[in-house]
Amino acid sequence: MKPDRSLEAIRADLGPLADRPGLAASLAQLGQPGSRHRITTPAAVIDLDALDRNLARQAERARAAGLAIRPHAKSHKTSAIALRQLALGASGICCAKLAEAEALMVRGAGPVLITSPIAGPDKAARAASLASRDPGFAMTVDHVDGVAEIGEAARAIGTRVRLVIDVDVGLGRTGVSSLEQAIEVADAIAADDNLDLVGVQGYGGQWQHMAGANARAAAVGEGMKTLAAVASALRAQGHAIGLVTGGGTGSFSADANQQVLTEVQPGSYAFMDRQYREALADDEDGAFETSLFIQAQVISANAPAWVTVDAGLKAFATDGGMPEPSGEAWTGAKFRFFGDEHGMLTRPEGRVLRRGDRVELTAPHCDPTIDRHDVLHLVRGDVLVDIVPVEARGASQ
């Protein structure tokens, strides 16, 4: 099987990463039968066929519901995946932080909506700079002081910034907390010649992993009442609210049924991690395939009841339970963290394990797991077909 791109193109994308000995060894395997199982470990592996089916399914669900889709890049942090989503008709991408947008916009991913408010003139200046590069760029705000900072930064470089008012729909993390505050923020935006109010956002992170479609639907219904009330109040005050954005992987069905949002922001559907798999179970929102795996290798098989693999705390996020071995050959095996660099894997009944054996484990929480890795190894079947950089890895500022 041929690689998806030429070695020269892949190396150009990877830059200095391509010269690392471990990554160079994986690059030498491109396109070869069985190369999936000769990647330098530990490694983040993406099953491209499963990923593409996930992306296409969610894009079609949004189209069928009459909703725009702006996938959240905080899940993958990777321009190669963002560009796949845009090619399927996405209206843009979401980023949680300015640094994510700065990394991905360079690769042509956008237009970007920053979904978290910022604070301080330094970050306001960065937001204005991004808006000057792409007029479709937008920021969320939830306070008049944030409006003032962004307006001043925009004036300083002679650009305009599109703003979305973040609304607290019950999470309590960010967002205006009353109709009065929403109107105050909207009026401040309208009074600034360098700013444009384009919509409102309401994200219920607390809904995404709720077990049971009925429970999620009830919670989403209450939150959407709040968001709809804010949008209505702003329109009554003469503000043009065209964009109503929010939602996520776990709440998509309920979001669509409420008919409040004009745009949805799912992210984890691309990978379908353990947290979502267990929470959504057989619900329609959970009907995606696992496409992200962390491949590890047995490095010691001396203990009678377990083996030690080379993927530990530094290879996975640890906030969502334990990684799970994938595949029938590992039925009954259990993973435990064995330190920063190592994992303990119990021996499956009836199977002899040796040094060098490979195992692929599902991630408990995809977003911060991806953030542990510099590159993603893209595979089709048992063949490594591409390696792409995680450009926004560590982009938390």
Side-chain angles (χ1 to χ4, degrees):
M1 182 183 294
K2 288 185 177 181
D4 278 17
R5 299 185 294 158
S6 70
L7 180 60
E8 291 75 16
I10 295 171
R11 289 185 63 88
D13 265 0
L14 293 174
L17 292 173
D19 295 324
R20 292 183 181 178
L23 195 49
S26 294
L27 285 169
Q29 300 289 329
L30 278 167
Q32 298 182 18
S35 51
R36 174 175 183 162
H37 309 295
R38 295 193 294 272
I39 295 168
T40 303
T41 58
V45 174
I46 305 296
D47 183 321
L48 263 183
D49 293 330
L51 173 71
D52 284 341
R53 286 190 292 267
N54 288 346
L55 301 188
R57 180 175 185 272
Q58 187 62 289
E60 177 54 35
R61 294 177 80 204
R63 275 193 294 271
L67 292 168
I69 182 172
R70 187 188 295 265
H72 214 305
K74 70 182 178 67
S75 293
H76 55 70
K77 305 171 180 65
T78 305
S79 67
I81 297 179
L83 292 174
R84 273 178 143 81
Q85 293 169 322
L86 290 164
L88 288 168
S91 57
I93 63 169
C94 294
C95 291
K97 298 293 184 70
L98 291 167
E100 288 180 348
E102 289 161 345
L104 296 180
M105 286 174 63
V106 169
R107 299 296 187 110
V112 170
L113 167 64
I114 302 293
T115 57
S116 177
I118 58 173
D122 57 332
K123 290 188 176 179
R126 288 165 59 193
S129 176
L130 290 173
S132 70
R133 289 161 47 188
D134 182 356
F137 174 85
M139 280 291 315
T140 55
V141 291
D142 69 357
H143 196 278
V144 292
D145 290 350
V147 173
E149 288 170 348
I150 296 170
E152 183 175 348
R155 275 189 299 281
I157 62 171
T159 194
R160 302 184 68 84
V161 182
R162 302 165 76 242
L163 296 182
V164 175
I165 297 177
D166 189 27
V167 179
D168 180 11
V169 291
L171 181 59
R173 186 167 62 191
T174 62
V176 295
S177 56
S178 67
L179 294 178
E180 292 76 17
Q181 188 180 19
I183 293 169
E184 181 185 20
V185 172
D187 288 345
I189 296 170
D192 193 309
D193 291 339
N194 291 91
L195 304 177
D196 295 306
L197 174 61
V198 296
V200 294
Q201 171 185 274
Y203 173 65
Q206 73 277 25
W207 307 328
Q208 302 306 317
H209 295 126
M210 292 179 73
N214 290 338
R216 287 197 305 280
V220 170
E222 288 302 309
M224 288 299 102
K225 287 180 184 177
T226 299
L227 186 60
V230 170
S232 178
L234 294 179
R235 289 172 181 138
Q237 295 292 316
H239 297 290
I241 304 298
L243 176 68
V244 184
T245 185
T249 295
S251 63
F252 176 82
S253 292
D255 291 330
N257 288 336
Q258 289 293 321
Q259 297 184 334
V260 172
L261 300 179
T262 63
E263 175 185 89
V264 288
Q265 305 176 359
S268 298
Y269 74 95
F271 300 135
M272 213 54 196
D273 58 26
R274 180 179 174 183
Q275 284 184 319
Y276 270 110
R277 172 76 53 213
E278 293 178 353
L280 305 184
D282 295 329
D283 295 346
E284 183 182 3
D285 288 322
F288 295 94
E289 302 173 54
T290 298
S291 65
L292 165 66
F293 303 90
I294 303 302
Q295 188 178 131
Q297 188 171 185
V298 176
I299 61 170
S300 180
N302 297 334
W306 63 78
V307 296
T308 300
V309 299
D310 59 356
L313 293 166
K314 287 167 61 177
F316 298 93
T318 59
D319 63 334
M322 291 292 165
E324 291 185 327
S326 176
E328 291 184 7
W330 295 96
T331 299
K334 301 294 183 184
F335 178 93
R336 294 289 183 271
F337 289 110
F338 222 1
D340 291 352
E341 311 293 348
H342 305 115
M344 173 195 292
L345 197 60
T346 60
R347 295 175 180 268
E349 186 175 351
R351 183 176 177 193
V352 176
L353 294 179
R354 299 179 175 88
R355 290 176 61 255
D357 284 348
R358 302 284 180 126
V359 60
E360 290 186 347
L361 301 120
T362 59
H365 186 182
C366 58
D367 303 19
T369 293
I370 291 289
D371 203 52
R372 302 289 203 275
H373 298 269
D374 289 320
V375 301
L376 302 180
H377 300 76
L378 310 185
V379 302
R380 295 190 190 276
D382 71 348
V383 180
L384 175 67
V385 297
D386 205 345
I387 302 176
V388 298
V390 183
E391 295 100 336
R393 182 192 180 191
S396 60
Q397 295 182 326

